[in-house]
Amino acid sequence: MQTRIAVVLLLVGACHCLPFYNGFYYDHILNNKSGNGNGDVIQFNGVKLVVSTPEDSLFGYRGGNITLPCTYHYEPEIQTPRRLRIKWVKLHKDNTKEQDVLVAIGLRHRSFGEYKGRVHLRQNKPNEVSLVINDLRLEDYGKYKCEVIDGLEDESNIVELELRGIVYPYQPQHGRYQLNFHDAKKACESQDAMMASFEQLFRAWEEGLDWCNAGWLMDGTVQYPITLPREPCGGKDTAPGVRNYGERHKHLHKYDAFCFSSALKGRVYYLEHPDQLTFTEARDACIQDGAQIAKVGQLYAAWKFLDLDRCDAGWLDDGSVRYPIAFPRPNCGPPESGVRSFGFPGKRTKFGVYCYKMS
Ligand SMILES: *[C@@H]1O[C@H](CO)[C@@H](O)[C@H](O)[C@H]1NC(C)=O
Ligand SMILES: *[C@@H]1O[C@H](CO)[C@@H](O)[C@H](O)[C@H]1NC(C)=O
């Protein structure tokens, strides 16, 4: 590229132009519109690049769109527009790993991995480089870094995205404490959910979740949320809270799982059918209806986000039988709203069925 060290044009404040350059060598011609061969190269001594993002977390939901705001400015202000590189990355646990989301140089954008085709920059006002994510997925939650790279300067800031959702404890067919970490993760994923993070479990506890069985979380710890302290659940005299067993061995130790699901694309409904059905009949009946037997995560999502309410027990995809009550009333279980479970009755027992349809 350019080998010449261009004459420095200082754009700081009321130009008290420094004749020479006393910092780094900088030969990247950023704005070449002077026509005389001298690019506008900015002397950065004393100019600071500042990148701003909101401090509070943003909330999205599965299937929705979200904008992660990010702007930058220079202190003191500079007049000439600069050619920048913008990079959005997602940070992983403990901020050690990064995953590229989008890189933009001028009008050229590129997105990566699972974000391909789902992200773009929003630049509605000068100096805005917000990231729009479409069709949010469960695994999109987390911290995103907005990085502005201006040759010499490279500044960044963080935005946190959370998903509105529902955390539920999960026990498999063969009973309590049967899942190692990997099985627990699969159990959640096979039911249209993912393993919950600590933040998600904590938020669920704040909203009243009380569950006296320990379950795996995404960070490899085993915990459980208690709102009403009692003897078998960490002691009567302890404060309410999320009880923590700490990190456990991911292969050897077995617990339940906490799963997380967010809003639902499509709908869950109780199939009106003249007969009660065995599990196999139930699965077929949904297919006959142009649908599929609903998954546990889908039933929870429909209850939480769409107030699905039905006082009839029905089969679900994992072989469990449950029913969702959004408006508690006599003869429909406890006085709180919730998804009631009959556990895993034998597959020949007869019940109704909940089906799921994409649209
Ligand atoms: C700068 O602009 C001049 C004239 O428009 C052009 O001849 C030259 O190649 C440009 N230099 C760079 C580095 O783009
Ligand atoms: C998300 O954005 C896309 C593209 O702009 C749009 O087609 C879609 O309807 C939006 N979805 C929601 C839930 O607003």
Side-chain angles (χ1 to χ4, degrees):
M1 257 199 48
Q2 271 293 335
T3 49
R4 157 187 51 126
I5 306 282
V7 173
V8 167
L9 184 79
L10 190 75
L11 293 173
V12 178
C15 183
H16 51 103
C17 302
L18 293 177
F20 292 107
Y21 182 77
N22 59 0
F24 338 63
Y25 284 99
Y26 189 55
D27 64 356
H28 190 170
I29 304 301
L30 293 157
N31 288 292
N32 182 18
K33 47 188 179 179
S34 50
N36 62 5
N38 291 335
D40 298 346
V41 174
I42 291 193
Q43 181 20 302
F44 257 90
N45 288 338
V47 181
K48 207 166 85 185
L49 174 61
V50 180
V51 174
S52 318
T53 52
E55 268 174 37
D56 293 335
S57 300
L58 286 125
F59 283 86
Y61 58 92
R62 177 163 57 176
N65 301 330
I66 190 112
T67 302
L68 307 182
C70 181
T71 57
Y72 65 90
H73 66 272
Y74 293 91
E75 285 174 6
E77 243 175 76
I78 61 169
Q79 302 308 324
T80 317
R82 312 256 309 141
R83 189 172 161 83
L84 302 167
R85 202 153 72 92
I86 309 299
K87 192 173 170 194
W88 278 91
V89 299
K90 175 146 187 239
L91 303 177
H92 280 252
K93 272 172 259 160
D94 54 40
N95 302 350
T96 49
K97 245 173 51 193
E98 295 188 350
Q99 173 190 0
D100 285 338
V101 174
L102 175 140
V103 173
I105 306 169
L107 293 172
R108 282 172 301 161
H109 293 185
R110 184 166 168 212
S111 51
F112 300 88
E114 303 91 82
Y115 293 95
K116 219 171 245 169
R118 285 199 299 137
V119 288
H120 64 270
L121 276 195
R122 194 180 75 178
Q123 299 181 281
N124 288 352
K125 43 187 194 212
N127 299 359
E128 180 182 16
V129 290
S130 303
L131 180 73
V132 178
I133 311 178
N134 288 326
D135 195 12
L136 282 171
R137 300 179 183 170
L138 291 180
E139 52 284 358
D140 287 345
Y141 80 87
K143 290 181 179 154
Y144 289 78
K145 187 169 77 173
C146 171
E147 195 172 352
V148 178
I149 303 148
D150 179 346
L152 297 176
E153 300 260 326
D154 174 350
E155 288 299 331
S156 64
N157 222 324
I158 308 268
V159 195
E160 185 155 11
L161 170 64
E162 294 189 51
L163 290 193
R164 296 201 186 281
I166 168 80
V167 170
Y168 60 91
Y170 190 79
Q171 270 174 13
Q173 178 139 23
H174 33 289
R176 182 177 189 246
Y177 292 178
Q178 298 293 324
L179 304 171
N180 71 21
F181 175 82
H182 305 284
D183 300 332
K185 189 160 177 288
K186 273 188 234 147
C188 292
E189 286 166 3
S190 73
Q191 291 302 310
D192 194 47
M194 68 185 291
M195 199 185 259
S197 68
F198 171 74
E199 289 74 19
Q200 289 163 347
L201 181 67
F202 187 82
R203 197 170 293 280
W205 169 77
E206 286 181 315
E207 291 168 5
L209 184 65
D210 184 283
W211 191 255
C212 197
N213 295 299
W216 287 104
L217 295 177
M218 199 56 137
D219 61 3
T221 62
V222 170
Q223 316 206 24
Y224 63 99
I226 294 299
T227 40
L228 302 165
R230 50 201 189 273
E231 216 39 69
C233 313
K236 227 172 18 208
D237 301 325
T238 46
V242 177
R243 316 266 193 250
N244 189 355
Y245 287 8
E247 274 185 39
R248 290 289 146 134
H249 195 289
K250 288 185 176 171
H251 283 287
L252 300 180
H253 292 147
K254 293 187 173 180
Y255 294 95
D256 294 342
F258 285 103
C259 304
F260 174 81
S261 185
S262 182
L264 191 64
K265 281 202 276 183
R267 90 195 157 89
V268 171
Y269 59 97
Y270 183 83
L271 184 69
E272 301 300 339
H273 196 279
D275 308 310
Q276 296 283 86
L277 307 164
T278 64
F279 175 72
T280 313
E281 289 166 351
R283 214 177 38 196
D284 293 346
C286 286
I287 293 172
Q288 291 256 309
D289 205 44
Q292 280 177 329
I293 189 166
K295 297 184 171 182
V296 179
Q298 291 167 340
L299 185 69
Y300 270 98
W303 162 74
K304 167 92 177 178
F305 289 94
L306 304 169
D307 282 337
L308 185 67
D309 183 288
R310 180 87 195 207
C311 201
D312 291 299
W315 287 107
L316 295 176
D317 175 79
D318 66 339
S320 64
V321 168
R322 303 175 199 244
Y323 64 99
I325 295 296
F327 310 103
R329 53 198 179 275
N331 303 322
C332 298
E336 303 85 37
S337 91
V339 172
R340 329 288 196 208
S341 178
F342 279 56
F344 295 82
K347 289 197 170 169
R348 300 208 181 150
T349 331
K350 296 202 167 194
F351 289 99
V353 62
Y354 288 92
C355 306
Y356 167 73
K357 220 177 245 184
M358 192 60 193
S359 56

